[in-house]
Amino acid sequence: EAGVVQSPRYKIIEKKQPVAFWCNPISGHNTLYWYLQNLGQGPELLIRYENEEAVDDSQLPKDRFSAERLKGVDSTLKIQPAELGDSAVYLCASSLGGERSYNEQFFGPGTRLTVL
Amino acid sequence: QKEVEQNSGPLSVPEGAIASLNCTYSDRGSQSFFWYRQYSGKSPELIMFIYSNGDKEDGRFTAQLNKASQYVSLLIRDSQPSDSATYLCAVRWSYQLTFGKGTKLSVIP
């Protein structure tokens, strides 16, 4: 079974430029999460999707960040414009959905963003 | 504010010893508790989770939970150099996982 796929793995951009990250969850996983992980910190939730609905986006900085999961499968996270402080690893995770399966989140390899 | 606290380490243990990793959390309403392992430059991978007070064993790993003390720990028996990684404690409130900063473990051959 393929795991969570993310691309690109690395991205270097100049500040004020836009950037987009893509995630393909494990097949059959209805719940998709985007996390941000800074160096030396644990992952912090940005947004959670149940199918195509964003059910928790309270931590997403909506002035510059946006996300979509149009068909309830793949998801894209966008930053526009990027700031120096956005340099971090962006992790996508997925889970089956339902009460117990929320416990088991599987992470993708992440996208390491560097903003110069 | 829901908080999960871990000692950042590094924690160094000799090969074959028991490594003990600890985590405290702020909210008594928390429902379940997770340990993830993260190798440098890699994404977190789930080791085990625990719901109920007491111990849960899986191979060389034992998770211990004490809800009254708001404390969860992970014991790694017969530590191997391949166990060297950062261990993240995560606590679930409702549908959200809140992670600690992680404890870096080094197993010395």
Side-chain angles (χ1 to χ4, degrees), chain A residues 50-104:
Chain A
E50 292 294 337
N51 298 302
E52 66 275 10
E53 182 181 0
V55 294
D56 183 358
D57 63 355
S58 57
Q59 305 301 315
L60 189 71
K62 298 181 183 65
D63 57 336
R64 297 184 300 107
F65 286 65
S66 64
E68 60 183 14
R69 193 184 185 199
L70 292 175
K71 296 183 179 179
V73 180
D74 296 2
S75 178
T76 302
L77 178 68
K78 298 179 182 178
I79 308 174
Q80 183 170 9
E83 297 179 351
L84 294 176
D86 297 331
S87 295
V89 175
Y90 292 82
L91 294 163
C92 179
S94 70
S95 65
L96 278 171
E99 175 61 22
R100 183 182 181 279
S101 63
Y102 275 97
N103 294 329
E104 299 177 86

Side-chain angles (χ1 to χ4, degrees), chain A residues 7-21 79 82-84 86-88 90 111-116:
Chain A
S7 68
R9 293 294 312 280
Y10 304 91
K11 189 73 177 179
I12 301 174
I13 61 171
E14 303 218 338
K15 63 181 180 182
K16 300 184 181 179
Q17 294 299 305
V19 64
F21 314 124
I79 308 174
E83 297 179 351
L84 294 176
D86 297 331
S87 295
Y90 292 82
T111 297
R112 183 176 297 275
L113 173 67
T114 301
V115 182
L116 302 175

